Amino acid sequence: MMTRADYLNASREEQPAAHRRYYGEIVAALSGPKAIALPFSADEIRLALATGDEHLNTLLLGRWDAYVSQLRGANAELKKRGDYLTLGTGVCILKEAARQLAEIVD
């Protein structure tokens, strides 16, 4: 299990992969991307990613923020890693779940 300290201590070059791994482990612990309520459809997420928006910033932040409160179990998973739930960490969890959902071929 990757801890918050592990994530923060990753080198600048390792940060993108460390970010995905850290939040990806939390998504997995929350039963995977299909179990997490997201504010955007898989098609909307895929379109944003396809247009080069790797951080999903073209999708309205307010909608991401509104879904953080629906992340059941996230605080417990974060606490195990030396972290806690904030809007920022919640949005990172949601965006990682969104990326994983977009990668699933139905």
Side-chain angles (χ1 to χ4, degrees):
M1 172 175 42
M2 185 178 218
T3 66
R4 176 82 175 159
D6 296 333
Y7 166 54
L8 293 176
N9 288 324
S11 71
R12 185 173 177 90
E13 294 80 27
E14 297 169 328
Q15 275 297 315
H19 188 276
R20 286 223 55 194
R21 179 177 167 209
Y22 181 72
Y23 290 106
E25 286 181 7
I26 296 167
V27 169
L30 299 177
S31 300
K34 289 185 176 182
I36 296 173
L38 296 172
F40 301 96
S41 70
D43 287 338
E44 290 172 302
I45 295 161
R46 285 186 191 105
L47 179 61
L49 291 168
T51 59
D53 180 14
E54 67 180 304
H55 301 293
L56 301 173
N57 290 335
T58 57
L59 301 174
L60 296 175
L61 181 58
R63 287 182 58 191
W64 292 110
D65 287 350
Y67 275 68
V68 170
S69 64
Q70 297 181 45
L71 284 170
R72 302 293 176 240
N75 203 39
E77 288 302 323
L78 288 161
K79 188 174 182 179
K80 292 177 191 176
R81 293 162 172 82
D83 206 346
Y84 56 94
L85 185 62
T86 65
L87 278 179
T89 57
V91 169
C92 287
I93 294 167
L94 291 171
K95 286 185 175 186
E96 179 55 31
R99 282 185 203 89
Q100 289 182 21
L101 185 65
E103 292 167 355
I104 295 171
V105 178
D106 293 327

